[in-house]
Amino acid sequence: MSIRLRELIRAVRSCKTQAEERDVIAKESAALREAFREQDPRYRHRNIAKLMYIHMLGYPTHFGQMETLKLIAANGFAEKRIGYLGLMLLLDERQEVLMLVTNSLKMDLNNDKNPYIVGLALAALGNICSAEMARDLAPDVERLLERQPNPYIRKKAALCAIRVLKKNPELVEEFADKATDLLHDKNQGVALSGVTLLLAICSMQPSMVEQYRKHVPTLCKMLRGLLQVCGTAAVAAAPRCVLGWQLHLPHMPGLKSSQGQPERVAMLEQLVPRHRVPRHGVRCGSSAASVCSACQQLQPCTAGPSPGHK
């Protein structure tokens, strides 16, 4: 029987030369191959954990890819957690074996008993799904965005939808209205995920910008709510994607509008009347660089720092 993960890590760290490390990895890889041939489910999750460690060291692990699919097909959450982690680490969207996991993903996306299993499936789909998988599972992601009462799942479904739309841009129309519905969610994590999805949709299809412009007052209302609850310091802690969208929506690709950045700065000045808003759209003392990094995903910010801003 092969050794435990901690023992493998200890053995690798104790190697003084690269040759010794290769010998340890070769012996453990042979033991893992033998364990996989025996089809013993008791230690399968432990073997996959060691396989991921070997993969991170840079050694070949293709012989254990099918074992990750068997873990995903298991019923327990612990097995699925290791299986999905191995799926995201050991495989990518170019692997043909990835198509075999589509059915398991669909079953886990429709799991009504354990929301964390649904979260695992959404995380895996959002990381490695191919165009074919995105096309097959898009209705399930859309259903979770629309009907799922759990904010944990809605947040993950919104982020997963970004990957689905990048692989199949023709599905933008189906997710356009559902993305705006997330802005009215009471959970701040869901609302921020909705804003991230809106940004992705506008980047992929600039014609949607005008349709989404009417929701800017909703974002201002969200910021006012943060101020009422947390005080004026909440602007620095507010969702930075929301701030970036308010400030740089007119500069998105394909949009020509007379409503420029000064109007967005004026909005924020109304929100925080006691603090001067610099050119980056945040208070002096808050992180202007973070807001700039948020808008760089659309267009690099060319505005320099305001006088006195460090």
Side-chain angles (χ1 to χ4, degrees):
M1 184 177 65
S2 59
I3 59 179
R4 296 187 178 186
L5 175 60
R6 66 181 66 181
E7 296 172 355
L8 174 61
I9 296 175
R10 190 180 299 116
V12 171
R13 289 180 176 178
S14 63
C15 294
K16 297 181 180 180
T17 63
Q18 190 69 26
E20 292 182 9
E21 179 182 304
R22 286 196 296 267
D23 290 339
V24 171
I25 296 301
K27 292 179 181 178
E28 186 59 31
S29 297
L32 288 175
R33 287 188 177 92
E34 182 63 27
F36 293 155
R37 280 195 293 266
E38 293 177 357
Q39 299 291 325
D40 188 358
R42 293 178 299 171
Y43 302 108
R44 183 174 289 152
H45 63 286
R46 190 176 75 179
N47 293 334
I48 293 300
K50 290 188 293 183
L51 198 69
M52 288 188 285
Y53 177 68
I54 294 174
H55 175 80
M56 288 187 289
L57 292 177
Y59 295 95
T61 55
H62 58 277
F63 58 89
Q65 292 178 349
M66 291 300 299
E67 297 298 315
T68 62
L69 305 186
K70 295 177 182 178
L71 275 181
I72 293 174
N75 295 323
F77 172 76
E79 290 80 5
K80 285 182 178 292
R81 180 177 59 180
I82 297 296
Y84 276 117
L85 182 59
L87 180 73
M88 291 183 283
L89 188 63
L90 303 178
L91 285 81
D92 56 50
E93 60 180 273
R94 295 168 296 180
Q95 301 284 342
E96 294 182 0
V97 71
L98 190 63
M99 295 303 299
L100 300 177
V101 80
T102 303
N103 189 45
S104 296
L105 279 169
K106 189 174 185 65
M107 293 178 62
D108 289 340
L109 288 175
N110 290 277
N111 190 305
D112 298 329
K113 298 180 179 179
N114 193 336
Y116 297 105
I117 292 180
V118 182
L120 288 176
L122 288 171
L125 186 63
N127 277 278
I128 64 169
C129 78
S130 60
E132 293 78 10
M133 291 177 62
R135 191 180 305 108
D136 294 338
L137 299 176
D140 298 287
V141 178
E142 184 180 357
R143 177 186 57 81
L144 293 175
L145 275 175
E146 185 178 10
R147 303 178 185 177
Q148 179 56 240
N150 192 331
Y152 169 79
I153 296 179
R154 289 201 306 275
K155 176 178 64 176
K156 285 186 173 291
L159 299 177
C160 178
I162 298 175
R163 172 85 177 198
V164 171
L165 295 180
K166 287 181 178 179
K167 293 298 177 181
N168 293 275
E170 66 274 8
L171 300 175
V172 166
E173 296 292 339
E174 300 180 12
F175 286 87
D177 294 335
K178 296 173 178 59
T180 56
D181 294 340
L182 298 178
L183 297 180
H184 305 283
D185 199 287
K186 296 181 180 179
N187 186 285
Q188 291 295 324
V190 176
L192 179 57
S193 300
V195 173
T196 307
L197 179 57
L198 291 183
L199 285 169
I201 291 176
C202 291
S203 298
M204 289 181 283
Q205 192 167 334
S207 60
M208 299 294 297
V209 174
E210 286 295 341
Q211 178 178 338
Y212 285 152
R213 188 181 296 280
K214 61 183 179 182
H215 296 286
V216 172
T218 302
L219 300 178
C220 292
K221 183 178 179 181
M222 292 168 58
L223 292 175
R224 291 191 183 97
L226 288 174
L227 289 175
Q228 293 175 359
V229 174
C230 304
T232 56
V235 170
R240 288 164 182 167
C241 287
V242 177
L243 289 172
W245 190 40
Q246 284 185 322
L247 291 171
H248 298 276
L249 184 61
H251 302 288
M252 299 183 73
L255 177 63
K256 301 294 182 181
S257 173
S258 60
Q259 299 179 357
Q261 182 172 337
E263 284 73 13
R264 297 293 174 265
V265 176
M267 283 187 182
L268 293 180
E269 286 178 341
Q270 294 177 2
L271 292 173
V272 194
R274 290 178 296 174
H275 295 270
R276 180 175 56 83
V277 179
R279 294 170 64 187
H280 282 75
V282 293
R283 293 188 300 110
C284 290
S286 60
S287 178
S290 61
V291 178
C292 286
S293 64
C295 55
Q296 280 175 357
Q297 57 183 316
L298 301 178
Q299 179 174 340
C301 181
T302 57
S306 61
H309 185 79
K310 298 182 179 179

